Amino acid sequence: MGNTLCLSASTSAPPPKIQEIAPGCFRLRVPFYIFFFDVGTHMTFLRLKNGKFLVLSAVSLDDNTKPQVDQLTQNGDLIDAIVATNPFHTTAFSSWFEMYPRLWQKGRVFGTPRHVRNFPDLPWAGSSGDEQVQKLWEPEVSMRIPAGCEFNDPKPELTNHFNGVIALYRSSKILICDDAFHVGTSSSFLESLLTPTQMSAPITFHASMPNQALDKTPKAARQFYDWVLQLTRDWDFDSMTSSHGSFVIGGAKQGLLDCLENARKSLSDHSVSNGGDPI
């Protein structure tokens, strides 16, 4: 896989700090607890050529992290827009509405369909599932949603958090993902969900794939498999960051291809069990 630097998130805290993990790509990762386990979560600030930032997802800010965001973005004035990328990363947006009301007043916050449904009182500018919204920052930032799995209303809500907007920040060749692709592991809880093969790999798929995430149709597994392959052909990237894991600098494209190959049997089994052909 060439020169690869895989940096794991630590569970023993220094306080969260915004990191520039690639030129112009700033990551803020904070604790996030599920059943008393800290699985962490992240948001990403992408510096555009006009000097402003496109923000992907949002995390809850506190007395430590808000001053960092304010310093980076000049109290929010340099934020061009915020795009919600995962349907279940919802908890921070109400507080962001209170902290940075001008963003909402300018119509620059886009939710997933689930955000828009579950928080109807927030003045969303539109849906991140809309292809026209996804193209607003081309060619600097590209966005796509994986095929073969539900984005609008994933079920069961407790565990099927797989699908979301995948973004490419072209200038730094880094792919930004929340849950579908996972870099490293961040806690013993997440490790317990992975097979030994997955644990040794730098990039894996979310634990809900394929049994919950993929549609129960003959073509869903093939659609997802082909979608990932096409992504690696269309997009020039060599690094990746993920929400509940860490980030990898170098070797990410090959890591994703290896991940897909490792998942091929389970994808094929899913296809056959739903009336499709082997993959």
Side-chain angles (χ1 to χ4, degrees):
M1 288 181 56
N3 295 324
T4 300
L5 173 64
C6 187
L7 301 176
S8 296
S10 172
T11 54
S12 63
K17 183 178 180 181
I18 294 176
Q19 292 179 277
E20 187 173 12
I21 61 174
C25 178
F26 298 80
R27 181 182 193 244
L28 175 58
R29 190 173 191 278
V30 302
F32 186 79
Y33 289 88
I34 298 178
F35 302 128
F36 306 105
F37 293 96
D38 179 13
V39 299
T41 190
H42 78 165
M43 65 184 299
T44 310
F45 302 79
L46 304 177
R47 196 194 303 275
L48 304 173
K49 290 180 179 178
N50 63 9
K52 293 192 173 185
F53 289 94
L54 172 62
V55 179
L56 302 180
S57 195
V59 302
S60 297
L61 303 180
D62 59 17
D63 291 342
N64 166 51
T65 51
K66 187 176 186 300
Q68 296 180 53
V69 171
D70 288 345
Q71 182 177 10
L72 181 68
T73 68
Q74 294 184 9
N75 300 313
D77 289 344
L78 291 183
I79 296 178
D80 179 68
I82 303 177
V83 177
T85 47
N86 185 283
F88 294 95
H89 292 197
T90 59
T91 57
F93 281 91
S94 293
S95 63
W96 273 72
F97 176 67
E98 296 174 1
M99 292 177 179
Y100 302 100
R102 282 177 294 180
L103 283 171
W104 303 78
Q105 292 163 4
K106 293 189 295 185
R108 301 302 291 171
V109 184
F110 300 85
T112 71
R114 186 173 183 272
H115 284 80
V116 175
R117 284 195 306 272
N118 287 15
F119 299 89
D121 294 336
L122 295 179
W124 303 101
S127 169
S128 57
D130 186 336
E131 289 187 4
Q132 295 306 309
V133 171
Q134 295 166 24
K135 293 176 181 178
L136 288 175
W137 298 275
E138 290 277 9
E140 293 181 75
V141 180
S142 297
M143 300 182 192
R144 292 184 182 179
I145 296 174
C149 39
E150 180 65 22
F151 175 71
N152 181 50
D153 191 20
K155 304 290 185 186
E157 289 202 348
L158 181 63
T159 52
N160 183 11
H161 297 184
F162 180 86
N163 209 356
V165 177
I166 313 291
L168 171 67
Y169 183 47
R170 291 186 182 276
S171 64
S172 292
K173 298 183 179 182
I174 187 165
L175 190 148
I176 299 101
C177 177
D178 287 330
D179 289 16
F181 310 150
H182 181 82
V183 179
T185 55
S186 61
S187 71
S188 58
F189 171 68
L190 286 179
E191 288 177 358
S192 72
L193 302 178
L194 302 176
T195 67
T197 298
Q198 289 174 318
M199 287 178 63
S200 65
I203 297 173
T204 59
F205 292 131
H206 188 271
S208 64
M209 199 288 294
N211 294 330
Q212 293 181 345
L214 294 181
D215 296 333
K216 302 290 192 291
T217 63
K219 295 182 179 180
R222 169 59 71 178
Q223 288 170 338
F224 176 73
Y225 182 88
D226 290 346
W227 183 91
V228 175
L229 278 182
Q230 195 62 48
L231 187 81
T232 63
R233 293 166 182 159
D234 293 346
W235 283 4
D236 183 14
F237 67 94
D238 58 14
S239 301
M240 184 186 297
T241 180
S242 66
S243 178
H244 303 303
S246 187
F247 60 93
V248 60
I249 304 299
K253 181 177 287 191
Q254 186 59 52
L256 182 57
L257 287 168
D258 292 344
C259 171
L260 186 64
E261 184 60 30
N262 290 337
R264 185 167 186 158
K265 183 181 184 305
S266 61
L267 288 168
S268 189
D269 289 346
H270 180 282
S271 179
V272 171
S273 67
N274 285 280
D277 297 324
I279 294 174

